[in-house]
Amino acid sequence: MREKALIALKDGDGVAAETALREALNEGAPKSLLAPYFGEAEILQGNLPEAHQWLDSEDFAPESRTHGLHMLGRLAMMEGNLNLANRAFSQAVDGHPQDAALWVDFGRLRYQAGQQTGAIAASEEALRVGPNDPAALLFRAQLVRDAHGMAAALPLLERGLKAAPEDSQLLSEYAATLGELGRAREMIAVLHRLALTDPTNPHMFYLQAVLAARAENYELARTLLQRSGDLDRQMSAAILLLGIIDLENGNYASAAQGFDRLLRMQPNNQRVQFLLARSLKLGGRDRELVARFADHADAPYMAMVVGRAYEALGQREKAAVFLDRANRPYAMIVRILPTDRDIFADDLTSVTDGPSTVSRVRAMLAAGQVDGARSQANAFLQLFPQSSDAMALAGDVALAAGDYSQATSFYDKAATVRQPWPLTQRMAYAFIGQGREADAAKLIADHLRGEPNNAEAAALLGRWYYLGGDKIHSQSLIRHAFQQGLASDSQLRELRAKLAKQP
């Protein structure tokens, strides 16, 4: 009966596993031997209080103790008790290090706890002990994607699907990655496989909605997104997609509400800032727009929107300042990222909360308090030495202080874990500060290859080529930026018109 339970657990069927385990218990199997598997069965069913009853005492038989500690750690991680999860996983690894699933869970815990370089090490260990393990390949692919772009993750996902061709998580991730690389036909084929394997998978409907939105069929996109369950309330990408659908359908108030919610979750997401500003402008909420964005409207499109809002409010002098800014020469301009909240004196006493520390340090930089910001950033990095966020924040302080070489050093370390577009921009700016313009351009080009749908990267590189006299590559990149959603950027339209007139 125990073997029957193990098969059910492997298939993710907690109900069948519990039934088989109770039969084994009734037949005299020791409770201490079965407790870890009962705990796993309850976790699979979402019955966390019942899982505690089997796992909390840690009264596990020696031959199942490692699995019991693994399940205890998984339960603790699900409930946010990271210290308990870390202790349980550490003890489990000591007892049975040749378990790929254990290393994957340990790696995900480390990532969640800000120990991101440790998470990378765990993912590598998971692949060492289970080179064809689907969960290990998926986890490693996700980390590689964050650091090196979509294309670099594809071989790992393909390896995973060779080992588990019907794994819905791998199929979903593979489809999403193909879509981000602009390989829509292949994405559709993978989604078809996912529909046959898991016809009610919510991510399948979300990805289909993405395809529909890219084809500008926004009504179909909304219908598909609604079929994804509550993803549009839980997943950042789905919240963004729903906001775009509302924006394109003229539901400006709903779009602004969604983008505002997402911006509170991701206060430094420049794209969401742009989309929220556009929603406010189209919805006639000019006063709110200038109140929220006038203080950090450096990007050409944002400056143009704020300028138009001031015009609508009858404040032409202020409007002129921003409209002039929107039409300034094409250049790389990276400012200190804004804080998402006000800073109070009491905030300066703790560096244990990551988002608060990031906001606090950036506010101090904006206020010119470089020494205080450096102290806070250094304390944060000492507390979380494996965190890419802490490394990037230290780089921001060095950048603000004009120490471009040190900024590059910190940014390079952060980028081994995650290299989102805002970090790439700051890395490029640090290169420019050292006179390494060619390295900056290569960095942006590399990022665009890994994230070909990034309109901002395409536009920036297109301007760069224009300044360098390479009109052919500039024209191609500007056209691509238009196709990816920047057709409303007035500066980009002007540049495109100039390129069209030139031989």
Side-chain angles (χ1 to χ4, degrees):
M1 288 302 173
R2 182 186 170 201
E3 288 71 22
K4 184 178 177 181
L6 291 176
I7 293 172
L9 289 172
K10 185 177 180 180
D11 292 338
D13 190 342
V15 175
E18 185 175 2
T19 300
L21 288 167
R22 291 200 180 280
E23 292 178 11
L25 191 64
N26 292 334
E27 292 174 1
K31 180 180 177 181
S32 61
L33 177 67
L34 299 181
Y37 306 102
F38 269 110
E40 183 178 4
E42 299 295 356
I43 289 172
L44 286 172
Q45 296 173 72
N47 301 328
L48 303 192
E50 289 81 355
H52 278 288
Q53 294 176 16
W54 292 102
L55 300 173
D56 281 357
S57 68
E58 300 185 33
D59 182 21
F60 308 130
E63 56 266 50
S64 65
R65 178 169 176 75
T66 295
H67 193 65
L69 291 166
H70 183 182
M71 291 304 107
L72 179 62
R74 183 177 290 179
L75 178 61
M77 185 166 62
M78 292 173 69
E79 295 181 331
N81 189 341
L82 303 190
N83 288 331
L84 175 58
N86 183 66
R87 178 185 66 79
F89 286 148
S90 296
Q91 291 180 353
V93 164
D94 288 342
H96 187 62
Q98 303 301 311
D99 185 339
L102 173 58
W103 278 109
V104 169
D105 279 347
F106 204 179
R108 293 195 183 279
L109 169 70
R110 287 174 173 177
Y111 198 95
Q112 188 176 341
Q115 301 170 9
Q116 291 152 342
T117 56
I120 292 172
S123 75
E124 292 170 344
E125 186 64 17
L127 275 186
R128 187 189 69 80
V129 301
N132 295 312
D133 183 87
L137 286 161
L138 174 63
F139 182 43
R140 184 68 190 136
Q142 290 167 334
L143 294 177
V144 167
R145 176 200 61 199
D146 286 349
H148 304 293
M150 300 291 172
L154 280 181
L156 290 161
L157 294 171
E158 289 164 352
R159 275 176 57 190
L161 286 169
K162 282 184 180 179
E166 296 185 353
D167 187 295
S168 59
Q169 282 187 295
L170 280 166
L171 285 168
S172 177
E173 195 77 22
Y174 190 44
T177 304
L178 290 169
E180 289 300 317
L181 289 169
R183 295 161 62 173
R185 289 183 181 274
E186 294 168 84
M187 178 185 181
I188 292 170
V190 176
L191 286 176
H192 180 67
R193 289 170 58 188
L194 181 57
L196 294 174
T197 300
D198 188 3
T200 62
N201 187 294
H203 284 88
M204 176 185 67
F205 294 114
Y206 159 72
L207 292 170
Q208 289 174 334
V210 170
L211 282 173
R214 287 177 180 167
E216 299 184 4
N217 190 339
Y218 297 108
E219 289 302 327
L220 176 60
R222 178 184 291 280
T223 300
L224 289 165
L225 193 57
Q226 288 172 342
R227 295 181 66 185
S228 71
D230 58 357
L231 283 186
D232 60 342
R233 293 186 293 276
Q234 292 183 343
M235 192 171 78
S236 298
I239 297 171
L240 176 64
L241 177 60
L242 181 59
I244 292 171
I245 292 170
D246 282 332
L247 184 62
E248 295 297 334
N249 284 336
N251 300 322
Y252 304 128
S254 296
Q257 184 178 15
F259 293 139
D260 178 69
R261 179 179 168 223
L262 185 55
L263 193 58
R264 294 179 189 279
M265 298 164 59
Q266 302 175 356
N268 300 315
N269 189 320
Q270 196 173 61
R271 185 187 182 197
V272 178
Q273 291 173 12
F274 291 169
L275 288 168
L276 176 56
R278 185 182 176 203
S279 301
L280 294 173
K281 185 71 186 83
L282 292 173
R285 295 158 64 178
D286 297 296
R287 199 171 301 279
E288 181 180 352
L289 193 160
V290 299
R292 295 192 65 163
F293 295 112
D295 288 342
H296 46 89
D298 274 347
Y301 176 73
M302 187 68 82
M304 184 268 291
V305 172
V306 171
R308 297 301 181 202
Y310 272 124
E311 274 189 336
L313 294 171
Q315 301 181 42
R316 295 191 176 278
E317 289 186 5
K318 289 184 177 179
V321 172
F322 287 93
L323 294 175
D324 287 345
R325 186 182 300 174
N327 292 312
R328 64 191 159 191
Y330 316 113
M332 280 186 170
I333 298 173
V334 181
R335 75 190 310 276
I336 296 169
L337 293 177
T339 176
D340 60 311
R341 63 186 184 90
D342 294 330
I343 302 300
F344 302 98
D346 291 346
D347 291 337
L348 304 180
T349 61
S350 172
V351 292
T352 58
D353 179 65
S356 296
T357 302
V358 171
S359 292
R360 181 167 57 248
V361 169
R362 286 178 177 159
M364 295 173 78
L365 290 175
Q369 302 172 17
V370 177
D371 289 340
R374 181 180 288 111
S375 176
Q376 290 282 309
N378 287 344
F380 187 43
L381 185 57
Q382 287 178 1
L383 195 61
F384 299 104
Q386 298 182 41
S387 166
S388 65
D389 292 333
M391 297 171 195
L393 191 63
D396 290 347
V397 173
L399 189 68
D403 190 342
Y404 301 115
S405 177
Q406 186 181 57
T408 295
S409 177
F410 281 124
Y411 287 153
D412 284 346
K413 292 175 184 176
T416 62
V417 178
R418 291 177 62 246
Q419 191 175 329
W421 172 236
L423 178 59
T424 296
Q425 288 177 290
R426 304 202 296 284
M427 293 173 74
Y429 193 74
F431 278 146
I432 292 169
Q434 299 170 71
R436 298 167 60 184
E437 287 83 359
D439 288 335
K442 182 179 182 302
L443 181 72
I444 296 167
D446 289 344
H447 191 105
L448 185 59
R449 274 191 288 272
E451 190 183 344
N453 292 329
N454 189 320
E456 295 174 45
L460 190 56
L461 196 59
R463 291 170 179 144
W464 187 272
Y465 277 123
Y466 176 80
L467 291 173
D470 187 341
K471 306 298 189 298
I472 294 176
H473 284 99
S474 177
Q475 199 166 31
S476 173
L477 286 160
I478 297 302
R479 182 171 58 250
H480 182 67
F482 263 61
Q483 293 170 346
Q484 297 302 321
L486 283 186
S488 58
D489 187 316
S490 61
Q491 189 185 63
L492 214 57
R493 289 201 307 270
E494 179 186 344
L495 178 55
R496 191 179 190 188
K498 287 182 178 180
L499 286 165
K501 292 177 182 178
Q502 295 178 2

